[in-house]
Amino acid sequence: MPAVVSLSNVHKSFGALQVLKGVSFDVAAGEVVAVIGASGSGKSTALRCINALETIDSGEIVVCGHKVHDPELDRRALRRDVGIVFQSYNLFPHLTVAQNIMLAPTCVKDMGKAEARRLAEEVLAKVGLAEKADNYPEQLSGGQQQRVAIARSLAMQPKLMLFDEVTSALDPQLTGEVLRVMEDLARGGMSMILVTHEMAFARKVASKVIFMHQGKVWETGPGAMLANPQTKELAEFLSNDL
Amino acid sequence: MSLTPVHIEFIATGALWTVGLSAIAFVGGSILGFALALARISPVPFVRRCAGTYIQIVQGTPLLVTLFLFYFGLAVVGFDSLPAIVAAGLGLVIYSSAFLAEIWRGCLESVPKTQWEAAECLALTRWQRMVRVILPQAMRIATAPTVGFLVQIVKNTSLASVVGFVELAQAGKLVNNTIFEPFTVFIVVAAFYFVICYPLSAWSRSLERKLNAGRR
């Protein structure tokens, strides 16, 4: 399988704080990669670097053929191929659910309004919210808003989806409904990188788990590695998580 | 001699000039102020600095002095003496542009950074992000302070009398000079100011409700 994402010896600092210290990993097409680790281990920063929301200091990142480390990077072309869902949903509060979803296809892909509306209804049905198209975000629960955020990204038909702790702000019941949508996406063959604290979900859905510790990839393996950690840091992290 | 319908009519004419001058100040100030607000959040440092310097100079100068500068100053540097309406209009446009720019810059910057990021991640251009995502949210935040400042503009037009412009306050002063009934005259003047300003506040509330559709 060709790699859709390739990080090679990536370094990133914020001032004197070195957050990524030579991070390298690949994600193959159709692969679901769960990035786990304690707060401050650099996992969210790595995800933001993949989408060029942060500029790296050194190393190479190639995403769907886009050289993200290149200063001449066409960011808009990259973002057409990569969808990202944030912890805080970041829906546009002045737009209805359908308008949130239609915005990028009409603005970026010059899609007609009727076609974009059909697409919005299609992706909303996929996340189980077809009846909420004309509601405003604030009229929805946190879980529903997060599913709309996923639908909004899906409307751009990305080749890769990034999920940045998307269930951290949700209670267990709402977490379940979001994870089900992500599981459906994974089963559909979508390439995904998810930064998550949901260990059970990572074990069940991820084809690869990456444990980050102190800005480095500390341990990598299939979901089963969570039951049998090879390093004491991962074992400690997992025991704290329980 | 007491207040007659002729006096009231004279004061009403002054009120019309107040409305006209306020409209000039607000429309001109809005156009210039919006450009300045965008310049203040520009990614280009030089543009940000130029806009910041202009705003600091104008905000640091009393409106009265600005009006004098336009009325008398431009004549000194070779322009023929400007008509009072032009000098007052220019002075008020410059004054309101600086304040509106800062009000709107604050409103634009108070839209969470995550909204910019979300729009950026959907591959929208900077202009699309501004027009489709940031401005509609900033407008909701800006409504109350903008209308509040518009009311200030209406009241500050009274300073235009120093360059010989007969607006509402000056009209009241002239009427009082003839009938010497300051309390009565200025109650009438105050009532005219209220009639101009109250609808603005009511409009602000209805606009806020309309722009707040997503938060009902």
Side-chain angles (χ1 to χ4, degrees):
Chain A
M1 282 279 193
V4 285
V5 178
S6 175
L7 277 76
S8 172
N9 200 24
V10 172
H11 288 79
K12 169 73 186 170
S13 300
F14 293 106
L17 180 69
Q18 214 181 340
V19 182
L20 300 180
K21 303 169 186 169
V23 171
S24 303
F25 64 81
D26 290 337
V27 179
E31 200 171 23
V32 177
V33 173
V35 183
I36 60 170
S39 298
S41 59
K43 51 194 192 307
S44 283
T45 303
L47 203 72
R48 290 171 64 83
C49 288
I50 290 170
N51 201 25
L53 281 171
E54 304 290 350
T55 311
I56 61 172
D57 301 332
S58 64
E60 288 192 357
I61 301 179
V62 181
V63 179
C64 303
H66 305 280
K67 291 177 182 167
V68 180
H69 54 277
D70 187 344
E72 302 294 309
L73 167 74
D74 180 350
R75 285 181 154 74
R76 291 189 64 217
L78 170 73
R79 270 103 188 221
R80 275 189 217 116
D81 288 339
V82 182
I84 185 165
V85 184
F86 300 93
Q87 181 182 338
S88 51
Y89 333 131
N90 299 351
L91 295 178
F92 306 132
H94 60 293
L95 300 178
T96 64
V97 163
Q99 288 166 341
N100 260 278
I101 297 170
M102 291 159 65
L103 182 63
T106 50
C107 285
V108 179
K109 293 187 166 178
D110 293 326
M111 195 180 276
K113 275 197 172 163
E115 194 186 345
R117 173 78 195 197
R118 271 196 301 278
L119 175 65
E121 284 165 2
E122 189 185 306
V123 288
L124 278 173
K126 208 177 264 186
V127 299
L129 289 172
E131 76 288 357
K132 300 289 185 189
D134 296 314
N135 285 82
Y136 282 94
E138 289 215 348
Q139 296 166 328
L140 306 181
S141 71
Q144 288 171 331
Q145 287 191 52
Q146 196 57 291
R147 282 147 67 197
V148 172
I150 294 172
R152 185 173 67 176
S153 285
L154 289 179
M156 287 296 281
Q157 292 155 328
K159 294 175 184 159
L160 169 73
M161 284 286 288
L162 308 175
F163 296 90
D164 189 5
E165 298 191 29
V166 293
T167 56
S168 298
L170 304 176
D171 65 36
Q173 189 188 347
L174 300 179
T175 295
E177 65 188 47
V178 174
L179 293 182
R180 269 192 296 281
V181 169
M182 290 165 67
E183 204 176 330
D184 286 346
L185 277 180
R187 267 202 298 270
M190 173 69 77
S191 307
M192 291 162 54
I193 303 177
L194 36 122
V195 167
T196 184
H197 289 292
E198 298 291 333
M199 293 307 137
F201 181 72
R203 191 182 310 183
K204 183 177 167 195
V205 176
S207 40
K208 181 158 79 182
V209 176
I210 294 172
F211 171 60
M212 286 190 67
H213 183 65
Q214 295 180 348
K216 292 176 181 168
V217 173
W218 210 260
E219 198 173 328
T220 308
M225 91 175 190
L226 296 175
N228 184 25
Q230 299 300 301
T231 58
K232 80 172 181 359
E233 287 80 6
L234 177 56
E236 268 172 29
F237 171 72
L238 292 172
S239 65
N240 288 338
D241 192 66
L242 292 172
Chain B
M1 194 179 184
S2 62
L3 199 67
T4 65
V6 175
H7 295 133
I8 302 276
E9 194 187 333
F10 184 71
I11 292 172
T13 308
L16 282 179
W17 280 112
T18 287
V19 171
L21 192 55
S22 302
I24 291 169
F26 188 69
V27 173
S30 294
I31 294 167
L32 190 53
F34 183 62
L36 285 164
L38 292 182
R40 287 281 280 140
I41 58 164
S42 161
V44 184
F46 176 73
V47 174
R48 281 202 304 273
R49 268 200 303 275
C50 287
T53 305
Y54 169 90
I55 289 165
Q56 279 181 0
I57 290 171
V58 176
Q59 287 195 341
T61 310
L63 176 59
L64 197 64
V65 175
T66 308
L67 292 170
F68 277 140
L69 281 174
F70 274 99
Y71 192 62
F72 301 112
L74 288 179
V76 171
V77 293
F79 292 93
D80 285 335
S81 184
L82 290 175
I85 176 79
V86 177
L90 276 176
L92 280 161
V93 163
I94 298 294
Y95 162 80
S96 49
S97 69
F99 283 90
L100 285 172
E102 277 304 84
I103 290 171
W104 292 343
R105 177 192 62 81
C107 294
L108 287 168
E109 288 184 341
S110 66
V111 176
K113 187 172 163 259
T114 50
Q115 291 283 303
W116 282 96
E117 269 187 359
E120 194 183 337
C121 289
L122 289 170
L124 303 185
T125 62
R126 185 174 167 83
W127 181 248
Q128 287 169 338
R129 296 198 289 268
M130 178 60 82
V131 173
R132 306 295 297 269
V133 176
I134 305 302
L135 271 181
Q137 296 184 61
M139 274 170 66
R140 184 178 55 77
I141 305 166
T143 309
T146 302
V147 176
F149 184 70
L150 181 51
V151 171
Q152 289 295 319
I153 292 177
V154 172
K155 290 186 281 191
N156 276 339
T157 54
S158 60
L159 288 173
S161 60
V162 298
V163 294
F165 188 75
V166 183
E167 40 62 64
L168 179 53
Q170 179 71 354
K173 199 172 151 197
L174 293 174
V175 168
N176 182 53
N177 287 347
T178 60
I179 63 171
F180 306 110
E181 279 192 30
F183 188 72
T184 313
V185 170
F186 287 107
I187 282 284
V188 172
V189 168
F192 270 106
Y193 272 116
F194 181 79
V195 167
I196 297 169
C197 294
Y198 181 75
L200 291 175
S201 304
W203 176 61
S204 162
R205 282 193 294 274
S206 91
L207 203 60
E208 268 186 283
R209 273 196 300 276
K210 197 175 152 199
L211 292 171
N212 227 3
R215 291 171 187 269
R216 276 203 293 266

